[in-house]
Amino acid sequence: MRKYALLSILWASLVQLCAFQGLPSRVNMNTWGFGPWVQSSVGSPLPTPQTFRSTAEQLVVDPNNFVFNYAANTQCEVVVKGIERYRERIFNPARWPRKPAENNIRQHPKDTSKVAQQQAVKVLQNLEIIISGSVCDTQPKFGDDEQYTLKINWEDLEPGTSTLSSPTVWGALRGLDTFSQLVFLSPDDGRSFIVNTSLTTDFPRYSWRGVLVDTSRHFLPVSLLREVIDIMEQNKLNVFHWHIVDDNSFPFESEVFPELSNQGRYHPGRTYSPAQVIDVIEHARLRGIRVVPEFDTPGHTQSWGPGQPGLLTACSQAKLTSAARPFLPYGPIDPSKDANYEFLRRLFDEITRVFPDEFLHLGGDEVDFACWASNEDVKNYMDQLNITGDYAALEAHYIHRLIDIINSLEKKKKPIVWQEVFDNGVPLSNDTVVHVWIGDNWQDEMAKVTRANKKVILSAGWYLNYISYGLDWEKYYLQDPEGFQGTPQQKALVQGGELCMWGEYVDYTALVSRMFPRGSVIAERLWSSANVVDVNNMAARLEEHRCRLVRRGHDAQPPNGSGFCPFVVLD
Ligand SMILES: *[C@@H]1O[C@H](CO)[C@@H](O)[C@H](O)[C@H]1NC(C)=O
Ligand SMILES: *[C@@H]1O[C@H](CO)[C@@H](O)[C@H](O)[C@H]1NC(C)=O
Ligand SMILES: *[C@@H]1O[C@H](CO)[C@@H](O)[C@H](O)[C@H]1NC(C)=O
Ligand SMILES: CC(=O)N[C@H]1CO[C@H](CO)[C@@H](O)[C@@H]1O
């Protein structure tokens, strides 16, 4: 709603602006010492490709005559729909006056190819997309081959043509994204689209390039989740980690246990119906993005309580010693009751059917032991297990039973767990991914986890929900997930990482701007070669990338101080 209203205002104002003021022109900040603090790059990709060569030769791209074509075996849904999206993104008329109104007092040429002919400049006619694999893949999976080669007017091609080749549809999407960044709006006239001759060969450094979104602390509408996924695609991020429920609310509508959301949501309507969940998964699938849901237990489950009586541990006030927190009547899931494991089996049976990805995040972080310690049944259960007084061992026991349950389900999943699960000594299969999040000394934790031969992803240091005045992206950018002491074998267990946007202090009103473009520097860290670390180069590209996102309709905030986005028409 908000966005559509804005767009129509933009349209109206855009026509006016063309008519009376002309286009915003470039500011030369050297002349008088005013203007943007950081000079934007022009037509530079972000994330930086593995190899990129370009020449000073430039071609015009005419939106009305440019064609995306593909061989018969490339006519895959993912590619065809990807082309539609990227055509819109490259040539989107909504935010700049590409097609002025008929009665415009300035005479704008309607067809840039005519200008091109008049001025005898070269025109890029097409992008031919070639998938070398034999099948149209439909479901993104961990470890998919995302490499691609993009040649624009390169020496071995017919002049004025370009090709994008990849073994998979997923690589084709990543290449389309790069193509859309190499074509830029001419800074001189703000109307024609230009591209340099270039050759890009590219592939990601890591397969796991994620974004954690928290829909429990604040409910986020599906339209916003879709937008986050759209922006992820434009940063080559490929894992949507959906931290869907937590203490504060339970917005996931379970068909098997409808009372969980009926009783645990904030408010009627602040839930995700089965159809909406499918919609999010489908939106992500078409963009080569996996949706990994997290149902965090045994802690972080206060909202599960009302809809499933008996699930949570009843705390005894008399015995609660922790004076630091206000008394809560219930604590983590009660691990002493067999009925609770049966409940988990049925709930996770549903969850593993709804979410197709082979991974499932089981949480396991920040369990408060005080309530367990106050409960007699829990105490007796621990006595039986010979772990009297050892609450970490009790948590390990619970997670171990949960993983056994997941392994017994028809739709088996590989677990991801927060680092405490590893620290507590739960036996984990080699397939399990350990998620490192605790900021102090994450390097030692990465070293420990990989020494135990476990796969690992990093989020410590990448909590974008923390904000402060001024520039903060540099520290996110320069943090390398392999920046710890370890052997090459240990480093090879690093699968990538995720930026996190925990939801206590952010909701739909600010999420996009808080996440981007700060998250874009982490996207580059996870995609590009480890030696791409030039902050000044990033600053210039980030300026451009931010404005590219803004022109494409996303409210990305200024990354690096004072400046403006050219060709964004405001009233
Ligand atoms: C593109 O061409 C222009 C004009 O010849 C040149 O100044 C610029 O450096 C080129 N850009 C790249 C990335 O090669
Ligand atoms: C607990 O310890 C007792 C005594 O050593 C032993 O008989 C029993 O089998 C143990 N139980 C478990 C579950 O390990
Ligand atoms: C896990 O990996 C270790 C080291 O590579 C190997 O020795 C062990 O057999 C693996 N375990 C399983 C269950 O595959
Ligand atoms: C004006 C300003 O804040 N510029 C900064 C932009 O980012 C680069 C890289 O971190 C800094 O070096 C600049 O000082």
Side-chain angles (χ1 to χ4, degrees):
M1 271 288 269
R2 196 172 56 96
K3 182 137 291 157
Y4 292 123
L6 187 66
L7 282 183
S8 59
I9 293 168
L10 277 175
W11 249 137
S13 63
L14 169 159
V15 172
Q16 261 198 342
L17 205 105
C18 295
F20 303 114
Q21 292 163 12
L23 290 159
S25 62
R26 253 198 310 183
V27 172
N28 179 352
M29 76 166 187
N30 297 326
T31 315
W32 293 98
F34 80 106
W37 283 354
V38 174
Q39 209 61 46
S40 170
S41 61
V42 179
S44 285
L46 190 163
T48 297
Q50 300 292 339
T51 71
F52 178 71
R53 289 165 63 197
S54 62
T55 75
E57 184 179 21
Q58 294 194 313
L59 298 93
V60 167
V61 186
D62 170 19
N64 300 315
N65 294 306
F66 186 78
V67 286
F68 292 89
N69 40 17
Y70 35 81
N73 77 325
T74 303
Q75 202 166 355
C76 305
E77 183 195 22
V78 166
V79 175
V80 173
K81 292 193 168 161
I83 289 170
E84 283 169 25
R85 283 195 302 283
Y86 276 103
R87 177 186 280 285
E88 177 72 12
R89 284 170 185 156
I90 297 168
F91 303 122
N92 175 8
R95 295 227 170 183
W96 59 61
R98 187 170 61 79
K99 285 187 191 163
E102 288 301 325
N103 62 358
N104 195 329
I105 55 166
R106 285 173 58 139
Q107 286 304 306
H108 293 290
K110 287 208 180 71
D111 181 340
T112 43
S113 70
K114 293 207 185 82
V115 188
Q117 283 156 17
Q118 283 157 19
Q119 299 173 358
V121 297
K122 291 180 186 156
V123 174
L124 187 72
Q125 293 148 5
N126 75 334
L127 177 66
E128 182 176 12
I129 298 163
I130 304 150
I131 308 287
S132 54
S134 54
V135 289
C136 287
D137 202 353
T138 55
Q139 194 65 52
K141 285 177 289 298
F142 176 62
D144 278 333
D145 188 346
E146 294 171 283
Q147 68 173 294
Y148 66 90
T149 300
L150 175 62
K151 294 179 183 178
I152 298 174
N153 190 44
W154 198 245
E155 47 206 29
D156 56 345
L157 300 179
E158 283 287 307
T161 67
S162 57
T163 59
L164 166 61
S165 51
S166 171
T168 67
V169 296
W170 317 116
L173 288 184
R174 306 304 167 236
L176 272 174
D177 186 60
T178 302
F179 181 75
S180 82
Q181 300 183 332
L182 296 177
V183 176
F184 59 90
L185 197 62
S186 162
D188 298 319
D189 67 11
R191 276 196 310 281
S192 38
F193 295 92
I194 315 275
V195 68
N196 284 50
T197 295
S198 68
L199 168 64
T200 308
T201 57
D202 203 9
F203 54 87
R205 180 179 176 203
Y206 296 113
S207 291
W208 196 298
R209 306 181 306 277
V211 168
L212 178 149
V213 169
D214 170 2
T215 55
S216 171
R217 274 53 176 263
H218 283 95
F219 180 79
L220 303 174
V222 168
S223 59
L224 181 69
L225 302 183
R226 291 165 66 112
E227 183 180 2
V228 168
I229 289 166
D230 286 341
I231 306 174
M232 286 174 66
E233 178 184 35
Q234 295 169 67
N235 287 274
K236 299 186 173 69
L237 292 161
N238 68 352
V239 182
F240 182 79
H241 174 166
W242 193 351
H243 188 89
I244 189 165
V245 298
D246 204 293
D247 282 331
N248 294 97
S249 72
F250 195 103
F252 174 77
E253 284 180 22
S254 162
E255 293 186 285
V256 181
F257 297 104
E259 288 311 302
L260 289 171
S261 61
N262 282 344
Q263 307 285 330
R265 68 193 174 199
Y266 273 129
H267 191 74
R270 300 291 196 271
T271 57
Y272 303 106
S273 69
Q276 287 176 313
V277 170
I278 289 170
D279 178 76
V280 170
I281 296 168
E282 176 67 3
H283 195 78
R285 178 185 76 82
L286 288 169
R287 287 151 184 80
I289 294 170
R290 301 160 44 219
V291 175
V292 175
E294 178 182 357
F295 286 79
D296 192 357
T297 68
H300 289 276
T301 48
Q302 295 297 137
S303 70
W304 302 40
Q308 183 63 19
L311 179 67
L312 301 185
T313 308
C315 321
S316 160
Q317 184 159 25
K319 296 196 177 154
L320 262 185
T321 48
S322 163
R325 1 181 355 135
F327 173 72
L328 291 173
Y330 295 99
I333 287 178
D334 185 340
S336 72
K337 294 201 177 76
D338 281 343
N340 287 342
Y341 296 99
E342 178 55 17
F343 160 80
L344 291 167
R345 192 189 63 73
R346 293 180 62 200
L347 179 64
F348 278 105
D349 183 62
E350 178 182 10
I351 290 164
T352 54
R353 289 172 196 280
V354 170
F355 293 91
D357 198 69
E358 62 177 327
F359 283 90
L360 172 65
H361 207 303
L362 296 177
D365 60 321
E366 297 184 310
V367 182
D368 176 18
F369 296 147
C371 180
W372 277 351
S374 79
N375 181 291
E376 280 300 311
D377 291 345
V378 172
K379 186 179 170 304
N380 293 337
Y381 186 64
M382 292 174 81
D383 291 345
Q384 280 169 35
L385 294 172
N386 286 348
I387 55 170
T388 307
D390 186 349
Y391 295 100
L394 179 60
E395 187 192 343
H397 168 83
Y398 167 87
I399 296 279
H400 192 45
R401 278 187 79 168
L402 178 61
I403 289 176
D404 281 349
I405 289 170
I406 304 296
N407 284 332
S408 76
L409 298 175
E410 195 185 312
K411 304 272 182 192
K412 288 189 188 29
K413 300 288 174 183
K414 295 175 180 168
I416 315 173
V417 292
W418 294 111
Q419 68 180 71
E420 288 97 316
V421 172
F422 170 81
D423 294 339
N424 290 340
V426 178
L428 298 172
S429 70
N430 289 349
D431 280 342
T432 308
V433 174
V434 177
H435 198 165
V436 171
W437 70 275
I438 298 177
D440 327 322
N441 238 340
W442 63 263
Q443 293 91 343
D444 284 357
E445 183 75 8
M446 297 286 280
K448 251 196 300 184
V449 172
T450 54
R451 229 179 290 130
N453 199 40
K454 295 289 170 276
K455 297 195 169 92
V456 69
I457 59 174
L458 181 67
S459 280
W462 286 336
Y463 275 29
L464 295 187
N465 45 297
Y466 286 99
I467 49 174
S468 59
Y469 189 72
L471 189 83
D472 67 358
W473 58 262
E474 209 177 294
K475 63 175 186 272
Y476 303 129
Y477 185 49
L478 295 179
Q479 170 172 301
D480 193 290
E482 291 177 33
F484 62 89
Q485 295 290 319
T487 63
Q489 288 83 354
Q490 280 176 265
K491 305 283 171 87
L493 290 163
V494 179
Q495 311 299 306
E498 292 182 357
L499 60 96
C500 295
M501 185 57 73
W502 294 102
E504 290 90 344
Y505 296 93
V506 68
D507 71 359
Y508 66 94
T509 59
L511 185 124
V512 164
S513 56
R514 196 161 295 177
M515 196 183 269
F516 293 100
R518 291 154 79 230
S520 303
V521 305
I522 300 167
E524 172 152 307
R525 181 56 50 236
L526 294 171
W527 178 282
S528 304
S529 168
N531 61 18
V532 178
V533 289
D534 181 336
V535 289
N536 292 320
N537 181 280
M538 173 50 106
R541 285 183 298 115
L542 200 54
E543 209 72 16
E544 178 181 15
H545 190 56
R546 179 261 165 155
C547 289
R548 186 157 46 216
L549 290 174
V550 169
R551 280 198 304 265
R552 292 175 182 183
H554 308 296
D555 289 337
Q557 71 177 12
N560 209 171
S562 307
F564 81 115
C565 288
F567 315 121
V568 174
V569 181
L570 304 170
D571 59 359

